[in-house]
Amino acid sequence: MKSIFIYTRLLFLTFSLMLSLMLTSCKKSFIELSPEDSYSPETFYKTEAQFRQAVIAAYVPLRDLMNQDFYVSEMRSDNTHYQPYPSNRGTAYLFKENIDDFMDGPTNANTNTVYFACYSGISKANIVIERLKEADIPEAARNDIEGQARFLRAFNYFKLVRLFAGVPLYLKEVKKADDAFLPRATVEEVYAQITTDVKEAIAKLAAPAKFPQSGQATKGAATMLYAEVLMTQKKFAEAETVLGTLATMGYGLQTNYADAFLPANKNSKESIFEVQYLEGTALGTAPSNFIYQFLPRTTTTTLITGTATNNSATGGWNTPSQDMIAAYEAGDSRKDASIAIAEGTYNGSDQLVISANKSILNYVPAAGKIGVPYIKKYLHTPHPAPNNTNDNWPVYRYADALLLLAEALNENGKSGLALAPLNTVRERAFGNTTHNITTTDPAALRDIIAHERRVELAFENHRWHDLVRTDKAVQVMTAHGAQMKQLYNYLSPASYNVTPAKLLYPIPQSEREINPELTQNPL
């Protein structure tokens, strides 16, 4: 749906409004219209079309969130690492490295951007929900718009509570300075609000009527969000019931794993929810650039991307770890679909001059060359220019739902029933049934499902959350850190000090300086 890509100038009253209100002592009206026939918050929210524009605006911060989430939700895990850049020790690089090394603090720009992007989306959703109460629009449209807004609010709070624990619960439009100063709610209070919102979203939204979908949230997206919330709270019986309803909504797997990520298959039957991007330079486009972040740090991208080369070095982030590469079983098609090798030599500026693009399978470096793995699943050519790609970001896929269902069934004492959804995913990966899982031992199956989630959902920002919700993060990341220190001598002795406190990110210092009500997480 092209409208979801439009950068509307109606991005009203986000937290910039909150700051403006706090910084001014003027008693005059906040908005003075010039000319007087311009839209204002008082005159805009009247028609269905206007409300649809407003809810589309609430999706826009998801792009900022996804552009940072692979640092905090994937690179934090054992799936990926970064390429060192010793010739540039600027904070833009140190902040990202510190997240991976568990040495981040409350001034980290990347974690802070995630926090503010979530609240920007929440603010926009709040406006829609509040203004709808007085709107005179058809009931079906009201339900659809409110359902989307409640999904977005729940989604953003779910991201916040998992990364930062209890956070302020802003549930109304911020109109004055006093509205901005809220203390942190408890984790339980945040989850209660998420549950309220996502249940309302499920009730109000319709299931996908056709594929490809519009790119906007549906009953399926809200259902999947609720299922993950329940799994995170270890409410496995409820999660099993909720996940079971997705089977009637028309979702299914693409025949080939790699096809699930093709731009031509955006919002397809495997997609439950994805963040929308659109390549190009015209008004209304919003290109992605994930592959340029995930390639090795280089200026010579043409050989891989087929476009004009970058003018400045980018990339080096979210690099597949050796442990991740080794996690794939022989014959698993997901390995070649997800990872490739950029081969070349490093120049004096710590950039890889790429001379070949090679398969990860049976890779042996050429004489005098270095092979650096990179995430391949977001490499789709052609695209018009560097950093201008057409890839959406997959948030929820049906394969994820199947594996969550297998996990819920196993935790509910139904290990035999868990095999069907688990093996459905594996059969696609291996192209046959010879690699199907047959054990029904609950403990063994628990580990098998966790491994399957890792390789199926690799580089889609699930791994860190899975480790935390299954209480494996400290154990797994401590062992991973010890392995990384053996591999890389540039790591600080203080890195990978993975304590329970490090399962949360600090509340941004800048936010605490503005809002004295906020307490800090243990550092």
Side-chain angles (χ1 to χ4, degrees):
M1 181 176 178
K2 188 168 183 178
S3 62
I4 201 169
F5 295 107
I6 297 174
Y7 279 127
T8 176
R9 65 190 186 96
L10 303 168
L11 305 183
F12 301 116
L13 301 176
T14 63
F15 278 2
S16 59
L17 168 58
M18 184 175 71
L19 291 173
S20 297
L21 285 166
M22 287 187 287
L23 294 173
T24 181
S25 61
C26 179
K27 294 184 179 180
K28 296 172 67 178
S29 173
F30 178 75
I31 298 177
E32 294 184 0
L33 295 180
S34 179
E36 292 187 359
D37 60 353
S38 297
Y39 281 127
S40 74
E42 286 68 37
T43 62
F44 177 74
Y45 297 94
K46 302 296 182 184
T47 68
E48 177 184 339
Q50 290 170 339
F51 273 100
R52 291 199 179 278
Q53 284 182 294
V55 80
I56 287 170
Y59 285 88
V60 173
L62 291 177
R63 298 194 190 112
D64 291 334
L65 175 58
M66 293 303 115
N67 289 339
Q68 300 296 326
D69 197 33
F70 62 82
Y71 298 115
V72 302
S73 300
E74 189 76 10
M75 213 167 77
R76 185 73 153 192
S77 78
D78 54 345
N79 280 6
T80 63
H81 189 50
Y82 58 85
Q83 285 184 276
Y85 202 6
S87 60
N88 190 326
R89 297 291 78 204
T91 55
Y93 295 96
L94 288 175
F95 283 149
K96 298 174 178 66
E97 293 175 8
N98 287 344
I99 292 172
D100 189 285
D101 297 343
F102 287 80
M103 296 176 65
D104 54 290
T107 60
N108 188 288
N110 298 94
T111 59
N112 289 1
T113 297
V114 168
Y115 184 93
F116 293 123
C118 287
Y119 272 117
S120 178
I122 289 166
S123 178
K124 292 175 174 62
N126 284 344
I127 294 170
V128 173
I129 294 167
E130 284 288 297
R131 301 283 178 143
L132 270 173
K133 294 175 181 178
E134 305 299 325
D136 183 17
I137 62 175
E139 189 68 19
R142 178 193 301 275
N143 285 339
D144 180 55
I145 293 165
E146 183 178 346
Q148 291 183 61
R150 286 187 178 273
F151 167 84
L152 291 169
R153 186 164 72 179
F155 180 86
N156 283 295
Y157 272 124
F158 187 42
K159 177 62 70 174
L160 286 169
V161 75
R162 288 182 295 172
L163 295 178
F164 300 96
V167 292
L169 273 175
Y170 292 95
L171 302 176
K172 295 182 179 181
E173 181 179 353
V174 174
K175 296 180 178 179
K176 58 184 186 300
D178 289 347
D179 296 337
F181 298 124
L182 294 182
R184 297 177 67 170
T186 65
V187 168
E188 293 75 18
E189 288 169 337
V190 177
Y191 271 110
Q193 184 59 48
I194 292 169
T195 300
T196 296
D197 277 341
V198 78
K199 283 184 172 181
E200 281 290 310
I202 291 170
K204 292 179 181 298
L205 291 172
K210 62 180 181 177
F211 297 98
Q213 305 164 76
S214 68
Q216 296 174 326
T218 63
K219 184 185 294 288
T223 299
M224 184 63 187
L225 172 59
Y226 187 32
E228 191 179 22
V229 168
L230 291 168
M231 292 295 288
T232 302
Q233 296 177 298
K234 295 181 169 54
K235 297 179 179 180
F236 301 116
E238 293 175 64
E240 177 190 337
T241 300
V242 170
L243 286 162
T245 66
L246 285 170
T248 65
M249 297 186 194
Y251 296 110
L253 300 182
Q254 295 286 345
T255 302
N256 300 306
Y257 179 76
D259 293 348
F261 309 99
L262 290 174
N265 290 332
K266 287 182 175 186
N267 308 308
S268 71
K269 64 179 182 178
E270 186 160 346
S271 171
I272 297 177
F273 185 67
E274 55 192 70
V275 177
Q276 308 292 303
Y277 295 83
L278 183 67
E279 69 182 9
T281 58
L283 180 66
T285 58
S288 54
N289 73 337
F290 309 125
I291 187 60
Y292 289 90
Q293 298 298 311
F294 302 159
L295 283 175
R297 186 166 292 106
T298 182
T299 60
T300 55
T301 58
T302 303
L303 191 147
I304 294 179
T305 63
T307 63
T309 196
N310 285 340
N311 295 320
S312 60
T314 59
W317 307 112
N318 221 19
T319 302
S321 67
Q322 292 302 311
D323 185 63
M324 178 72 246
I325 294 170
Y328 292 95
E329 301 166 62
D332 190 338
S333 66
R334 293 172 294 197
K335 183 176 184 179
D336 188 48
S338 300
I339 305 172
I341 298 289
E343 190 176 78
T345 56
Y346 280 100
N347 62 21
S349 300
D350 303 310
Q351 300 164 10
L352 185 73
V353 180
I354 299 172
S355 57
N357 183 38
K358 296 190 174 181
S359 170
I360 186 73
L361 302 180
N362 304 312
Y363 173 72
V364 177
K369 302 295 184 179
I370 299 169
V372 180
Y374 69 89
I375 298 170
K376 177 186 174 183
K377 66 166 59 174
Y378 304 108
L379 173 62
H380 299 109
T381 58
H383 48 267
N387 295 295
N388 196 320
T389 64
N390 203 32
D391 290 81
N392 283 355
W393 188 270
V395 176
Y396 291 129
R397 292 189 290 115
Y398 190 57
D400 183 3
L402 289 172
L403 293 176
L404 274 187
L405 177 58
E407 183 179 343
L409 287 164
N410 187 54
E411 297 300 330
N412 288 332
K414 304 174 184 178
S415 57
L417 295 177
L419 296 181
L422 170 62
N423 286 327
T424 296
V425 174
R426 287 181 62 82
E427 285 168 19
R428 178 177 69 172
F430 292 94
N432 53 55
T433 61
T434 60
H435 291 80
N436 279 10
I437 302 300
T438 59
T439 182
T440 56
D441 176 72
L445 199 54
R446 183 179 296 117
D447 290 341
I448 289 168
I449 294 169
H451 170 269
E452 197 66 25
R453 285 186 62 80
R454 185 183 187 189
V455 293
E456 172 68 30
L457 304 173
F459 321 126
E460 297 176 44
N461 301 349
H462 291 275
R463 177 63 172 172
W464 174 249
H465 293 308
D466 279 355
L467 288 173
V468 173
R469 72 176 177 81
T470 58
D471 304 316
K472 295 288 187 181
V474 173
Q475 173 191 340
V476 169
M477 293 310 299
T478 298
H480 176 69
Q483 180 188 54
M484 295 294 282
K485 288 180 180 180
Q486 289 182 337
L487 289 172
Y488 305 116
N489 60 13
Y490 55 79
L491 289 171
S492 165
S495 63
Y496 290 99
N497 179 25
V498 188
T499 64
K502 284 295 185 180
L503 302 185
L504 297 172
Y505 288 102
I507 300 294
Q509 182 61 30
S510 59
E511 185 74 348
R512 293 186 66 235
E513 290 171 355
I514 293 173
N515 183 357
E517 297 288 333
L518 292 181
T519 58
Q520 184 56 279
N521 288 327
L523 300 177

